[in-house]
Amino acid sequence: MNDTIEQIQTKVQFLSADEAIGQIPEGSSIMVGGFGFPGMPRHLSRALVKREELSDLTIITNSLGSVSILNDLFEQNRIKKVVGSFFSTNKELVKAYREGSVEIELLPQGTFTEAIRLGGAGIPAFFTPTAAGTDLARGKETRTYNGREHVLEQSLTADVAIIRAHKADKAGNLVYKKTAQNFNPAMATAAKLTIVEVDEIVEIGELDPDKIVTPFIFVDIVVKREEV
């Protein structure tokens, strides 16, 4: 790679949360990292909720619980569809789904993770035995491999990913902190625009190369986290 450090630095923008969220268009599909609170980009999520004109959204996230910051988007009727694995604790969301006012695509958690990973790898669909023979497989193509039924699942991509990392360097390389890593690295690869919230921004060369999980090529915007 022949890029100088200065050229690498210009490829990633360093913005405030409001500036970053301001680049998301109406009607976007948005991946949001986090397993519950760990790894959730809460600072960016608050900025997303605050931008009230942004609606008609598809939210791709593991869980949209009733205590989630993102639940405010649902309560404000700004979500048209949610894709993920765990919504049963959000009684109002379930009620809205049954009434037909919001669409839910429910995926087993392993399938959800793999769908994002393969979406980032450019693979459009895959067969998995998970959910075979259940209501989640209804209407989907199935095939038998090695004597076991498999379900064809579509991979997941998005217009935008808002994710959480521990540190970024000024090129945009990312390292994560323990279980807060969860879905974030896969989501970073599967979106057209990746916005990351970090605790700290360091100089190029300060991160241990062996600990970098997401290389800068997948990162578009870095936002330093602010506690409120």
Side-chain angles (χ1 to χ4, degrees):
M1 189 173 83
N2 296 321
D3 288 344
T4 66
I5 289 178
E6 290 77 13
Q7 288 172 324
I8 290 172
Q9 286 179 274
T10 62
K11 293 180 180 180
V12 176
Q13 298 182 74
F14 294 85
L15 304 176
S16 70
D18 290 340
E19 289 170 335
I21 296 301
Q23 298 198 23
I24 300 177
E26 177 82 3
S28 290
S29 55
I30 306 175
M31 291 181 173
V32 183
F35 186 84
F37 286 123
M40 182 182 183
R42 283 180 271 180
H43 184 48
L44 286 170
S45 295
R46 291 188 189 97
L48 181 62
V49 170
K50 189 169 69 173
R51 191 180 163 205
E52 295 179 356
E53 70 275 16
L54 198 59
S55 61
D56 198 32
L57 301 173
T58 296
I59 301 295
I60 302 168
T61 189
N62 178 60
S63 174
L64 189 66
S66 59
V67 298
S68 169
I69 297 166
L70 295 175
N71 190 55
D72 288 349
L73 295 174
F74 162 66
E75 292 181 348
Q76 295 166 9
N77 297 314
R78 293 163 59 190
I79 295 177
K80 69 175 181 180
K81 180 178 180 180
V82 291
V83 181
S85 301
F86 190 62
F87 305 119
S88 59
T89 61
N90 194 331
K91 295 181 180 179
E92 292 302 315
L93 179 66
V94 173
K95 179 182 178 183
Y97 166 73
R98 289 173 175 168
E99 293 173 348
S101 59
V102 68
E103 184 180 351
I104 291 178
E105 183 177 346
L106 188 64
L107 295 171
Q109 191 164 280
T111 301
F112 177 71
T113 304
E114 186 69 352
I116 296 168
R117 187 186 73 83
L118 292 180
I123 298 172
F126 60 103
F127 280 99
T128 174
T130 306
T134 73
D135 286 347
L136 294 181
R138 188 177 299 168
K140 296 179 179 179
E141 180 182 344
T142 61
R143 293 188 186 182
T144 300
Y145 293 98
N146 299 319
R148 190 176 184 187
E149 187 179 25
H150 289 65
V151 181
L152 181 64
E153 298 284 2
Q154 304 299 309
S155 299
L156 290 170
T157 57
D159 298 314
V160 182
I162 61 173
I163 66 168
R164 176 90 161 88
H166 180 42
K167 293 182 182 181
D169 66 17
K170 289 186 176 179
N173 297 303
L174 305 179
V175 296
Y176 300 86
K177 190 172 183 179
K178 300 181 180 180
T179 58
Q181 177 170 317
N182 52 68
F183 304 99
N184 289 296
M187 288 181 173
T189 70
K192 297 174 185 175
L193 175 69
T194 296
I195 305 171
V196 56
E197 169 186 320
V198 298
D199 297 310
E200 186 179 353
I201 299 169
V202 301
E203 296 294 330
I204 294 173
E206 287 190 37
L207 297 179
D208 181 345
D210 290 334
K211 293 183 179 179
I212 291 173
V213 175
T214 300
F216 71 89
I217 194 67
F218 293 111
V219 177
D220 299 293
I221 300 172
V222 174
V223 174
K224 185 159 186 318
R225 179 180 178 83
E226 296 177 14
E227 293 291 348
V228 293

